[in-house]
Amino acid sequence: MKHLANQFLERNLEAETFETVDDIRQILLQSIPIIDVRSPLEFAQGAVPNAVNLPLLNDGERAKVGTAYKEGGLQSAIAKGLEILPKDSRDVRVARWIRFLEQHPNGLICCWRGGLRSKIVQIWLHETGWQVPRIVGGSKAIRTFCMNTIDAAGQYNYVVLAGRTGSGKTQLLKALQPSIDLEGLAHHRGSAFGGDTASQPLPINFESALARDLLRFRPTRNILVEDESRVIGKLAVPESLFKKMGLSPVVVLQAEETERIQHIYHSYVEGTAEEVILSNLEKIRKRLGMERYLEIRAAIQNAYHTRDREDHFSWLTLLLRYYYDPMYDYQLARKKDRLIHSGPKNAVKEFLMTKFDFQSK
């Protein structure tokens, strides 16, 4: 096995001449498909949106190879890898990579640091006739690039779109460009009733998607963002972006209460189970106070019992008046020095397009 390991090291040197790519900007902008050959546990810690995990080693195999490396160095690790990956196992994995490449012929190979594992996959694919570039520096280099891109987010100019809950901020945001939908990237709608945090992406995935969006814009353009708190669900808005948003002009979208309630009902309540709504209400119980909490809880239970939409409108009205509107008014008062315009949807849209050259999508 040591003899085979020596041969493999020689072939690893051969792989140095295989094609590589290091233009991470274009990889992200073009969403070039990536075969991420890290182990499942490594991949589960985060990856770029265009990566698919097709590992060279599973978690158990990687642990065995890691132990061999600690005890005997690189040659010992390669020997262990060859031992636990006989030809039959190897052929199965190569077949998976080829199936992916047949669907994505422009695919790339990536491991943690663009080292041995990427080269092994390149060698095995090369033997079947596939010439697949590997990413220099691997996932670590991509992560560094994304964080540098986000750290530079302060170079852009932003316009913050604010408005009371249910006013339709997200819909207007999506109707204009250039814009960044932070709640969309975070898979959460930003409030206690905004979604299940368990379904949110990992921080690395969120930040990678954000970096990709930032790369699409010229620093000289204004970017529309929705007014957000520091945390969206369980994900934090990166400090550089959040700080710049806190210095940017604010435009307020206004809507009548009846319109807002109908919008909230269709977006958050319709089709949602009673226990989910009650669980979300529990999150804000302390802020509501026990008396108001019990009043709204009883109204929710009544609405689900009667199945009457008007009864749902009743408890939503209480929720806005007791919780969301006072909170919004407090937060907006802190931004009054940056407020440059307010009005209904059409007027705000016209203002943004005229004043800041935003375009309809």
Side-chain angles (χ1 to χ4, degrees):
M1 192 63 72
K2 287 185 178 180
H3 176 66
L4 291 175
N6 286 330
Q7 288 183 335
F8 200 88
L9 280 170
E10 292 176 2
R11 299 207 60 198
N12 181 51
L13 292 175
E14 176 190 347
E16 292 288 351
T17 65
F18 291 173
E19 185 178 357
T20 61
V21 293
D22 59 6
D23 192 346
I24 296 174
R25 173 184 292 271
Q26 290 305 314
I27 292 172
L28 293 173
L29 282 174
Q30 297 176 27
S31 294
I32 298 176
I34 297 172
I35 299 175
D36 191 321
V37 301
R38 293 178 297 162
S39 70
L41 278 176
E42 290 176 287
F43 187 81
Q45 294 173 6
V48 293
N50 41 312
V52 173
N53 189 214
L54 296 173
L56 172 65
L57 300 169
N58 63 35
D59 296 321
E61 292 163 347
R62 176 173 174 262
K64 292 177 182 178
V65 170
T67 299
Y69 181 83
K70 291 178 182 179
E71 294 176 350
L74 181 59
Q75 187 183 56
S76 177
I78 292 174
K80 176 58 69 174
L82 293 172
E83 176 187 327
I84 63 179
L85 280 180
K87 188 176 186 304
D88 289 347
S89 297
R90 163 184 151 177
D91 289 346
V92 169
R93 295 176 201 204
V94 171
R96 290 173 184 164
W97 300 328
I98 291 176
R99 282 197 297 270
F100 181 87
L101 292 167
E102 287 173 342
Q103 297 177 12
H104 309 283
N106 63 330
L108 305 173
I109 301 169
C110 178
C111 63
W112 171 230
R113 288 181 293 190
L116 184 59
R117 283 181 287 181
S118 291
K119 293 175 185 176
I120 290 171
V121 175
Q122 273 191 308
I123 291 170
W124 289 354
L125 284 170
H126 183 265
E127 291 172 351
T128 67
W130 285 90
Q131 315 296 325
V132 187
R134 70 178 184 274
I135 298 174
V136 176
S139 294
K140 185 176 182 180
I142 296 174
R143 175 66 174 159
T144 299
F145 180 89
C146 288
M147 293 313 299
N148 289 340
T149 300
I150 291 173
D151 287 343
Q155 70 179 304
Y156 297 96
N157 297 315
Y158 302 92
V159 179
V160 177
L161 181 61
R164 284 179 165 176
T165 301
S167 58
K169 300 184 294 295
T170 300
Q171 287 73 17
L172 181 55
L173 181 82
K174 291 181 176 180
L176 294 173
Q177 61 180 355
S179 62
I180 295 178
D181 182 7
L182 291 170
E183 291 183 359
L185 295 177
H187 298 178
H188 197 276
R189 285 174 287 181
S191 71
F193 290 78
D196 181 7
T197 57
S199 66
Q200 291 190 268
L202 294 163
I204 290 176
N205 299 50
F206 169 66
E207 290 160 0
S208 299
L210 174 58
R212 178 195 58 195
D213 280 4
L214 287 168
L215 290 172
R216 292 172 177 163
F217 306 129
R218 300 194 308 272
T220 55
R221 288 300 306 269
N222 293 291
I223 302 172
L224 188 64
V225 292
E226 189 172 338
D227 191 18
E228 300 290 354
S229 61
R230 183 69 173 84
V231 177
I232 305 174
K234 65 179 181 182
L235 294 171
V237 177
E239 181 64 28
S240 56
L241 174 57
F242 187 71
K243 184 177 180 180
K244 188 62 179 285
M245 288 170 59
L247 301 172
S248 300
V250 177
V251 174
V252 176
L253 178 61
Q254 297 176 334
E256 296 294 331
E257 184 179 86
T258 53
E259 178 185 348
R260 293 166 54 214
I261 289 172
Q262 290 180 14
H263 176 75
I264 295 169
Y265 174 77
H266 290 300
S267 298
Y268 295 87
V269 180
E270 191 173 33
T272 302
E274 178 181 358
E275 56 267 25
V276 174
I277 295 294
L278 291 176
S279 176
N280 289 334
L281 180 68
E282 178 66 26
K283 298 174 186 176
I284 59 173
R285 177 172 58 85
K286 290 183 179 179
R287 292 190 178 185
L288 283 169
M290 185 57 69
E291 183 178 348
R292 288 179 172 178
Y293 165 77
L294 291 174
E295 180 183 0
I296 295 175
R297 180 181 174 85
I300 291 172
Q301 291 173 321
N302 177 66
Y304 275 96
H305 175 72
T306 65
R307 300 183 180 180
D308 188 330
R309 188 172 67 166
E310 294 298 325
D311 287 336
H312 280 293
F313 290 174
S314 295
W315 72 260
L316 285 170
T317 300
L318 295 175
L319 189 65
L320 289 179
R321 293 179 181 175
Y322 289 164
Y323 180 71
Y324 282 109
D325 287 357
M327 180 174 60
Y328 164 82
D329 292 341
Y330 169 76
Q331 293 174 346
L332 184 61
R334 302 176 64 185
K335 303 180 179 76
K336 63 180 181 181
D337 293 340
R338 295 187 285 125
L339 178 61
I340 60 172
H341 185 78
S342 63
K345 179 179 179 180
N346 288 338
V348 167
K349 184 176 181 180
E350 179 66 25
F351 175 81
L352 290 170
M353 294 177 69
T354 302
K355 176 72 173 178
F356 296 101
D357 197 30
F358 289 109
Q359 306 293 318
S360 291
K361 290 184 179 178

